Every structure is written in structure tokens, then in C-alpha cells.
């Protein structure tokens, strides 16, 4: 029982953290397709552990595997909704590290990949209703008369559909799990092939962390799927549920590390600030709840029988202070993060202090180029300087530009 409680808490925390990541990534730059896709992927990934945690709480099935704990319920259907994570992962591999969707003539065809997951959810939701409707058609074609004669081919087709639906429903974990694994393999292939086109060192670091996180997390998920599907042993089933938890923690942890350490999707500042603000707000609200519930007890030694009336006044007083305290916390957190290494004002300040003591032109150009590529993600940098030998401005030679080119004065 204690182990199940710990797993439930970890599921809640992991799912909430993934949803928090999804909101932060999407809100920071909603117009960017990579942010929207990553946000959708993280949101669906968070629904999985959240639905499992709710299933454990509501049905209290100690030692059960995730599917058993919530089988045949609405929570079980919510558990299936998280499978939209796999087509979202595939779309993410098409837009990161490079955007392949720009070259597709019919980009809306990508929505076809959600059909298997949509069918799985519909099958879990309306399996019984589907069988009732098909059985009614079969019975209507088994009588006598013109109507039965007309409906007989439809009844035969319905009987075949009943067998097909029953077969799919009986083996749903194997069928749809194999489809999800196929999506994982294809997504890893696109992520690996897309990394070869990158030249920016910062983007390379981001892609490396994301790809390794995807490899580890999805690899653990595949092993978990094999344990829970191919084995009837309770020990193996339990190990599969722990591997699923490890897969979720590994994937979310790698994404968080890429955001915080390597400024993945450019939301490092917002992510850190939002995370600290969420934690401090939760602590503030928790403190208010504890103080409000125990106010009468610690006021009783001072006011005696009037402690209850005084506690109401005290609660009202601290509620009036909630908004000023919350605003003060917000200002403190903002002042803490406004001067991080990702803030544009801090970047300019550090850059100006760095170059003010440089007198070597080559070293100065290298410093400018490094700042533009690492801080602003500029792919290529060209320097145009006045060339005393030809008395004209010229583009200097560099790694990205192999030859010096004199710029004509009439060339605007």
C-alpha cells in the first residue's frame, strides 16, 4: 500500500510537471510551430501519469498494472487519450531540429497519423454501443420478407464487423502498442537525420539532449510495453509499470535539462521564473491554509473563549494581505531572473564589458561572432570592413565565406 501511494504521488508530480512544461513552452511563443508541437507532445505525455494517478486514487487497486487499475472506466479512456503523444512526437521530429513540413506540398496530410489513436479512443468509449448497433442490424436481416432480403448483405457485413471489432478489442494493447512503437522508431530516425544538418553549436547541444532523452525514455517505454503485454507474471507486470514510470521521468527530465541548461526553444528564462513562481505560490497558499485552519488553536491561550471570534478577524486580515504578499513575491522573482544570462540586457552588458578591453581585430571579430551564434542563434556571420589596400569596403574571409569580396560603391 505504501508503494502504491508513493507511485501515485510520483505520477501526480510527473504529470503536473509535464503539463507545466507544455503550458510554458506554448505560451512563450505560440506563433512558433516548434513550440506548439512540443507543447502538444508534453501535454499528452502529462495526461498519462495524471490519469494513472487518478485511477489509483479512485479505484484503490493495490499492486495492479496501469491498465488493470482503471480498466472499463472513464479514467481508462483518459489513459488512452495520452497515446496522442506518439503522433505528436512524430510531428515534432518533422519540425525539430529542421522543419520538414515546409517542403511538404500537402501539409494537412500529417493529420492522418492520428487516426489509429483516435480509433483506439473511440473503441474504448463506444465498444458496447457499437456491438449493440451491429447486432441489431444482424437480427433485422435474419427474418423473412422483402426488408430482410434487402438487409441480408448488410447483416452479413455487420456480422463480419462484429468479429473484426471483437478481435481488435481483444488484442488492442498489442495492435495499438505496435503502432505506437512504429511511431517511436520513425520519430527517432527523423530526429537523428535532422541533427546532421545542424551547424550551430547551441542547436547541436539542444538536439543532442533531446534525442538522447527520446532514446532513453522511448526505449524504457518499449521494454515496459513488452513486459506488460507479453507476460502474465505479476512480477513482470509490476516491473513493467515501474519501467513506464522511469520512461516518463527520463523523458521529462531530459526536456527540462535541455530547457534550463541549453535554452531549448528559447524559454529558459520563462521556464525558470514560472517554475519558481509556481512553487512559491503553492507554498504561500499552503501556508495560508495551515494558518487559517489552526488560527483558533494558537489564539486560544491569548483570548480564551473569544478565540473563535478573534480567529475570524485574523483570517480576514491575512486574506487582505494575500494580494500584496503575492505581488511582492512576483516582484522579487522578477528581479532575480531579469539579470540572468539569457536576458537581453544582461547579454549586451556582458558583451560590452568583454569587448571594451580587446584591441586585436581578429579576437574582436571572434568574440562578436561567438556572441551572435550562441546568444542569438545566428547561423552565419559575415564581416564587412574598410580595406585600406583597395580603398573600398569588402567582405572578409571566414569559415562561412571562403574569399574576400570587394563591395561596389553603387551596389546599395
Amino acid at each position: 500500500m505504501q508503494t502504491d501511494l508513493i507511485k501515485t504521488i510520483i505520477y501526480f508530480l510527473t504529470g503536473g510537471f509535464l503539463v507545466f512544461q507544455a503550458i510554458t513552452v506554448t505560451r512563450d511563443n505560440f506563433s512558433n510551430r516548434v513550440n506548439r508541437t512540443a507543447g502538444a507532445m508534453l501535454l499528452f505525455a502529462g495526461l498519462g501519469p495524471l490519469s494513472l494517478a487518478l485511477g489509483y486514487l479512485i479505484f484503490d487497486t493495490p499492486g495492479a498494472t496501469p491498465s488493470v487499475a482503471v480498466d472499463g472506466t472513464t479514467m481508462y479512456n483518459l489513459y488512452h487519450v495520452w497515446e496522442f503523444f506518439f503522433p505528436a512526437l512524430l510531428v515534432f521530429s518533422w519540425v525539430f531540429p529542421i522543419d520538414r513540413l515546409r517542403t511538404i506540398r500537402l501539409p494537412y496530410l500529417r493529420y492522418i497519423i492520428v487516426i489509429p489513436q483516435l480509433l483506439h479512443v473511440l473503441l474504448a468509449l463506444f465498444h458496447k454501443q457499437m456491438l449493440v448497433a451491429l447486432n441489431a442490424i444482424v437480427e433485422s436481416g435474419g427474418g423473412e420478407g422483402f426488408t430482410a432480403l434487402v438487409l441480408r448483405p448488410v447483416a452479413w457485413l455487420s456480422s463480419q464487423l462484429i468479429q473484426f471489432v471483437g478481435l481488435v478489442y481483444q488484442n488492442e494493447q498489442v495492435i495499438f502498442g505496435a503502432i505506437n512503437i512504429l511511431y517511436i522508431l520513425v520519430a527517432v530516425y527523423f530526429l537523428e537525420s535532422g541533427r546532421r544538418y545542424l551547424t550551430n553549436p547551441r542547436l547541436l547541444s539542444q538536439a543532442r539532449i533531446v534525442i538522447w532523452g527520446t532514446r532513453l525514455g522511448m526505449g524504457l517505454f518499449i521494454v515496459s510495453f513488452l513486459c506488460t503485454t507479453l507476460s502474465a507474471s505479476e512480477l513482470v507486470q509490476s516491473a513493467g509499470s515501474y519501467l513506464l514510470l522511469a520512461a516518463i521521468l527520463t523523458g521529462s527530465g531530459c526536456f527540462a535539462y535541455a530547457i534550463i541548461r541549453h535554452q531549448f526553444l528559447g524559454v529558459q528564462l520563462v521556464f525558470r521564473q514560472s517554475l519558481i513562481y509556481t512553487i512559491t505560490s503553492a507554498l504561500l497558499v499552503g501556508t495560508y491554509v495551515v494558518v487559517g485552519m489552526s488560527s483558533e488553536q494558537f489564539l486560544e491561550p491569548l483570548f480564551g473563549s473569544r478565540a473563535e471570534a478573534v480567529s475570524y478577524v485574523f483570517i480576514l486580515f491575512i486574506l487582505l494581505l494575500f494580494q500584496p504578499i503575492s505581488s511582492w513575491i512576483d516582484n522579487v522573482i522578477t528581479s532575480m531572473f531579469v539579470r540572468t544570462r539569457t536576458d537581453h540586457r544582461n547579454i549586451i552588458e556582458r558583451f560590452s564589458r568583454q569587448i571594451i578591453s580587446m584591441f586585436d581585430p581578429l579576437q574582436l571579430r571572434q568574440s562578436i561572432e561567438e556572441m551572435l551564434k550562441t546568444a542569438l542563434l545566428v547561423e552565419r556571420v559575415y564581416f564587412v570592413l574598410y580595406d585600406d589596400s583597395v580603398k573600398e569596403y569588402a567582405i572578409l574571409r571566414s569559415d562561412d565565406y571562403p574569399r574576400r569580396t570587394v563591395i561596389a560603391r553603387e551596389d546599395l
Side-chain angles (χ1 to χ4, degrees):
M1 180 64 70
Q2 190 69 21
T3 305
D4 292 329
L5 177 61
I6 294 175
K7 285 171 60 176
T8 303
I9 294 174
I10 295 176
Y11 278 136
F12 264 124
L13 293 177
T14 306
F17 183 64
L18 285 168
V19 173
F20 170 78
Q21 280 184 305
I23 295 174
T24 305
V25 168
T26 307
R27 183 184 61 183
D28 183 69
N29 191 0
F30 184 79
S31 61
N32 189 5
R33 181 157 49 190
V34 180
N35 289 61
R36 294 197 306 270
T37 306
M41 180 180 64
L42 293 170
L43 176 63
F44 287 122
L47 289 180
L50 286 178
S51 60
L52 291 177
L54 291 174
Y56 280 125
L57 284 180
I58 295 173
F59 301 101
D60 192 18
T61 314
T65 58
S67 60
V68 174
V70 291
D71 194 7
T73 66
T74 303
M75 298 311 303
Y76 181 63
N77 301 329
L78 180 60
Y79 174 74
H80 286 310
V81 170
W82 93 276
E83 292 184 3
F84 285 100
F85 161 80
F86 298 100
L89 172 65
L90 184 56
V91 175
F92 177 76
S93 69
W94 291 343
V95 297
F96 180 85
I98 59 173
D99 193 348
R100 304 172 190 268
L101 293 181
R102 294 179 180 177
T103 60
I104 298 178
R105 294 184 179 180
L106 299 174
Y108 293 101
L109 290 177
R110 66 182 182 270
Y111 296 114
I112 296 177
I113 63 176
V114 304
I115 291 179
Q117 287 73 23
L118 183 61
L119 291 177
H120 196 189
V121 174
L122 293 177
L123 184 65
L125 284 170
F126 305 111
H127 172 250
K128 294 182 180 179
Q129 295 86 337
M130 197 182 307
L131 291 181
V132 170
L134 291 174
N135 280 320
I137 296 175
V138 172
E139 292 176 359
S140 64
E144 300 293 337
F146 179 75
T147 303
L149 182 63
V150 173
L151 291 177
R152 195 160 295 164
V154 181
W156 178 85
L157 180 61
S158 299
S159 64
Q160 301 301 314
L161 284 176
I162 290 175
Q163 296 180 9
F164 177 74
V165 171
L167 181 63
V168 173
Y169 188 76
Q170 186 179 2
N171 303 280
E172 59 171 340
Q173 287 190 349
V174 176
I175 295 174
F176 294 103
I179 294 175
N180 294 334
I181 291 177
L182 177 63
Y183 281 18
I184 291 172
L185 298 177
V186 176
V188 171
Y189 165 77
F190 280 116
L191 288 171
E192 288 283 0
S193 60
R195 188 178 63 170
R196 300 169 187 170
Y197 295 96
L198 296 178
T199 56
N200 188 286
R202 187 167 135 197
L203 289 177
L204 279 170
S205 300
Q206 294 176 359
R208 189 179 300 111
I209 296 298
V210 171
I211 291 173
W212 271 107
T214 304
R215 282 178 176 176
L216 294 175
M218 295 301 98
L220 291 172
F221 169 79
I222 292 174
V223 177
S224 170
F225 167 76
L226 295 176
C227 291
T228 55
T229 305
L230 303 181
S231 177
S233 172
E234 293 185 2
L235 181 61
V236 177
Q237 294 266 344
S238 179
S241 65
Y242 284 110
L243 286 174
L244 176 62
L245 180 60
I248 297 172
L249 289 173
T250 301
S252 60
C254 288
F255 263 84
Y257 179 77
I259 291 174
I260 295 175
R261 182 66 179 86
H262 297 283
Q263 305 174 22
F264 179 54
L265 301 178
V267 294
Q268 180 191 44
L269 176 62
V270 178
F271 182 80
R272 284 182 173 180
Q273 186 173 350
S274 300
L275 180 61
I276 297 299
Y277 184 76
T278 301
I279 294 174
T280 53
S281 298
L283 291 175
L284 177 63
V285 173
T287 303
Y288 260 69
V289 171
V290 172
V291 171
M293 294 177 62
S294 59
S295 59
E296 185 178 351
Q297 297 179 2
F298 67 77
L299 289 175
E300 187 173 0
L302 298 176
F303 297 95
S305 60
R306 295 176 296 176
E308 183 177 359
V310 175
S311 67
Y312 295 145
V313 178
F314 176 74
I315 292 173
L316 179 62
F317 175 73
I318 63 175
L319 286 177
L320 293 176
L321 293 178
F322 181 82
Q323 183 60 37
I325 294 176
S326 179
S327 301
W328 176 78
I329 292 175
D330 188 20
N331 293 333
V332 171
I333 294 174
T334 302
S335 63
M336 289 169 54
F337 284 92
V338 76
R339 294 184 61 80
T340 58
R341 295 180 63 85
T342 56
D343 181 60
H344 64 279
R345 285 169 293 185
N346 195 17
I347 292 174
I348 295 175
E349 183 178 347
R350 287 188 294 105
F351 177 67
S352 61
R353 287 201 307 267
Q354 182 181 7
I355 66 173
I356 197 171
S357 59
M358 291 184 182
F359 301 99
D360 182 10
L362 180 59
Q363 186 180 5
L364 183 61
R365 292 199 300 268
Q366 290 176 348
S367 178
I368 295 173
E369 183 176 1
E370 180 182 358
M371 188 274 294
L372 291 174
K373 287 186 175 182
T374 56
L376 302 180
L377 293 182
V378 176
E379 290 290 339
R380 295 181 179 180
V381 179
Y382 305 96
F383 288 94
V384 180
L385 295 177
Y386 189 77
D387 193 334
D388 293 327
S389 61
V390 295
K391 307 298 183 181
E392 296 288 352
Y393 284 93
I395 303 177
L396 301 185
R397 288 192 299 268
S398 65
D399 295 336
D400 297 327
Y401 201 78
R403 61 190 183 88
R404 186 188 69 171
T405 304
V406 177
I407 300 178
R409 288 181 177 269
E410 62 274 7
D411 186 357
L412 299 179

